[in-house]
Every structure is written in structure tokens, then in C-alpha cells.
Amino acid sequence: MGKELRELLNKINGKKAEVRKLVEEKRLEDAKAAKGELRELQEQFNLLADLEDRDMQQVKRNAEEGKGDAVGATSKEKQATAFVNAIKAAKRQQQVSREDAEILNSMSEGSDEDGGLTVPKDIKTAVKELRRSEDALENLVNIEYVKTNTGNRVIEREADQTPFDNVDEGEEFPESNTPQFDLIEYKVKKKGGILKVTQELLADSAENIIGYLKKWISKKAKATRNFMIVKKIKEICAGIEVPIQCFDDLKDIFNVMLDPGIALGAAVVTNQSGFNFLDKLKDERGDYIMQKDPTQATKRLLFGEYPVVVVSNKTLKNIDGKAPVICGDLKEAITIFDRETLTIDISSIAAGAWEHDQTKIKVRERLDIKGVDEEAIIMGLVDVGLATGDSDNDGVRDDRNGDGIYNEAELNRLSRENILLLAKEKGYAMTKTAADPKPKVVAEFLEQQGSVTEGASWG
């Protein structure tokens, strides 16, 4: 870590102590201002850390060979080219060249015990940047990069409320039963999927192949992390969700239910249905409780104070017709342990690949997620009145045009399972199952619906 980063880290730790002290002294406005300064320091640190995060092994080799840092750019290009050459060689069931093999073998960082081709660091960095788009929930939680597949962290609950004991000079440090410690154990799990690539794509330039791979991997990686985070949030809040019906219910969450120290860094995460409810909600004076963020025109602040993050109804689904509104500090509540491995395997003879003139690329990485401070978030539930006629809980009625009849376009937006669920609710005698092709399930639903509608017209 460079001198500038160390100085910033010291400032961050000092600012954290300042925020805690101001909270203890009940100087909440000063604490909020200090919290904002802390965020800026943390952003500066993250930006500089990304710049400093270079391949030190390569830099060392360049220096020994007298090539200087300029060779680093060439090295990245060589790695990318060797990476694509390896994919094309696997397609042709050939060995990679000796030069490419040497380059690939040197890319040991981020290797996986299951083997596979290590994705070059430059491409991994690009994937990371792409997956951290505005709707990526990983931006809101704590990320810890680990070098082992298993490990643990000791966390003291309510550490900022439990002071040190007095210790006389020359005396032993006393054992205190007051602090309560939690042992957070992580065990990274393999996550992965298969991309089917056409031979036409593999005949394209290395730049286009890498661009296609980066977009696909980043989308899958983001979806994976979003799924893990939503699942963990639901686990933490299961059975203790707070009903939200009005302005005062939200005030209760931030004023009483959340610890003041947590509330200082709190935000709101909700889906489109929850945002629609909040965006229409007014206080006792008739003023909307959501306001524009003066620093970011496209952002909103609840009560002019708490940032509101909106994700798709498909990412954060409604729960039995109720929209989730998550309040608190997700960085305190949840940690993702990221092994930072990203590897691929390539085959042109795997099941179905040869017959369809495709190459299959298997991508894998390793992650784990843990709840750390389960009192740092509270989930509110808003009744958005869509429990009936919203079989997939996405906040949009299945019968979109409201005519009481489901047309083919409306059904095609639903999964086979949800079409069958809808049919069951309507009492249709379906013979098709979730194992049947979707067009056949849709056709039978329309047939059943037609017979019921025709019978009603004759009645």
C-alpha cells in the first residue's frame, strides 16, 4: 500500500471515531456532516486503490528486463490475445502455441483449484466495472476479498457501545463478560454457468470476442450477486417485517427501530412497486416525502435525507402482493466474501455443442455471503394491491390491459409455472405441465379460457 493510501486510511479511521463520538454526544447534525466527509474519503480511497491495483509480478519482471512500466500495456494485450487464442484452439481441439502457453501459465493470480483457463486481470477488472451498474446491489453491501476458500472473522456486537475497561499499570487485562462476540465463518461456493458461442463469433476479432465475453459474464455475475443479496436480506428479516401504510410508519423505522449510528449511514432499497408508493406519499402538510438529491438530479432522497435505490421488480420481487422497502445500512448488515477467481473451460464436443456447431464456454467464480449485523436493516412491506392477478409477484398485473381476458402476449410474459398457477386459480382443467413446451401450455390456457368465455356468453 502506497504512502497516499496509508494516509487516507488513517484519515478514514479518524473520521469514523469522530462520527461515533458525535453520536454519543447527541450532536447528530454534526455527525451527519462528518459521515458525509467519511463517504468522500472512502470514495477517494477506493479510486486510488483501483489505480494502484496492478500486477506487481509483471512490473517486477519488466524492471528486471529493463523494459519499464510501458511494457505493462503490451503485456495486457499479449494476455488478451493468448486468452482468445486458447479459446479458438479449444474449438479446433488443438494445443495452444508455446508462446501463448507461457503467457497463460504466468497468469497464476486468481487461479481456481478446479483448473480451467484463468481470465486475464485486465478483463476481470473490466467485468467488475460493468457488473457494478446502478442496479447492482453489491454496491450497497460490504465486500471482502479473500485468498482462501474458508476462514472466519470475529465481530463484536455493539462494539461502539461497549467501552474498554480500566487497566492499572502492570496489571493483567481483565476478562470481561460484557462484550458479545460473533464468529462469522465463510466458505466460498462455486458459482458458474455455460455460454454457448457460435462459430461465427469465434471467427471474429479478439477485441470483439473479449467484448462479448465481458458483457455476458458481467451480466451473469451481477444477477448472481443480486440474487444472493436479496435472499440474505429476506433471511435476516423473515418473520419481523414491518407493515408500512403511511408516512408515520416510515418515521418510526428511522427514528426508533434503527440504532442512531446505523441511521446516519442508512439508505432505502426498494423495487419499482415500492418506489411508486413512496413517490406518491405525502406528509401531514401535503408535501411529497421524497425529494430530489441536489447533488444528483436523477436520484431521490426520503425525507430529503436517506438515498433511495430502486431495482427492478424482477430482481426484488413483491412478497404476496406487498412491495419490500428495506431501510438501514446494508454495508453493516451483509458481507460478501469474494475469492476473486474467474476461470473458464472451453469445449466444442460437449453435449450438443458439436451437433449445433457451437463452442461451450463454462465460467466459474467463488463467493460466499454472510449476515453480520442483522439489526442494521429493517424490511417494511407496502401493500400494493396486486396479490390477485400478479402470479409472478413482479408488481405488474398479469392482465395488463385490464379486460379480464388473458391474450397470448400477456401469457408469454409469464413463465410456464405461473401460467399453470393462474389456470389453477381460475379452475381450468389443464393437461399440460411445466415439463411441456411453453407454446403448448399457452395454447391450452387460451383454449380453456375460450371455452369458459363462450359458455358465459351463451349463459
Side-chain angles (χ1 to χ4, degrees), residues 392-427:
D392 55 358
N393 265 320
D394 67 349
V396 179
R397 295 185 186 279
D398 302 330
D399 178 17
R400 293 193 172 203
N401 60 19
D403 63 358
I405 298 174
Y406 293 84
N407 59 42
E408 187 173 355
E410 289 169 336
L411 292 173
N412 281 332
R413 293 179 180 272
L414 304 176
S415 66
R416 282 173 293 186
E417 292 77 9
N418 283 325
I419 295 172
L420 293 169
L421 177 63
L422 194 59
K424 184 178 179 181
E425 290 177 356
K426 290 182 167 293

Side-chain angles (χ1 to χ4, degrees), residues 174-195:
E175 289 286 345
S176 174
N177 294 324
T178 303
Q180 298 181 46
F181 294 93
D182 288 334
L183 183 65
I184 307 297
E185 297 182 342
Y186 69 84
K187 183 177 182 180
V188 296
K189 300 171 184 65
K190 190 190 305 180
K191 307 286 184 181
I194 293 177
L195 171 64

Side-chain angles (χ1 to χ4, degrees), residues 36 42 51 55 64 72 123 139 149 155 192 197 206 250 268 270-271 318 326 346 364 390 398 438 446:
Q42 188 65 58
L51 291 174
D55 188 348
E64 290 173 348
I123 299 177
N139 298 329
N149 285 340
I155 306 294
V197 181
L250 288 163
V268 176
T270 188
N271 62 10
N318 291 335
I326 299 132
I346 312 108
R364 57 174 170 261
D390 181 25
D398 302 330
K438 186 175 178 180
L446 292 171

Side-chain angles (χ1 to χ4, degrees), residues 243-257:
I244 296 175
Q245 296 178 340
C246 63
F247 166 85
D248 288 339
D249 293 334
L250 288 163
K251 279 290 186 182
D252 288 341
I253 290 176
F254 287 98
N255 291 347
V256 181
M257 297 181 188

Side-chain angles (χ1 to χ4, degrees), residues 427-451:
Y428 296 166
M430 299 283 287
T431 60
K432 298 294 186 288
T433 69
D436 290 305
K438 186 175 178 180
K440 292 186 177 182
V441 177
V442 170
E444 186 177 24
F445 184 99
L446 292 171
E447 182 182 351
Q448 291 279 336
Q449 179 179 247
S451 63

Side-chain angles (χ1 to χ4, degrees), residues 226-243:
N226 280 350
F227 176 83
M228 292 169 64
I229 293 167
V230 169
K231 183 179 179 182
K232 183 57 65 177
I233 289 172
K234 290 181 177 179
E235 287 177 5
I236 291 173
C237 300
I240 52 174
E241 299 91 346
V242 177

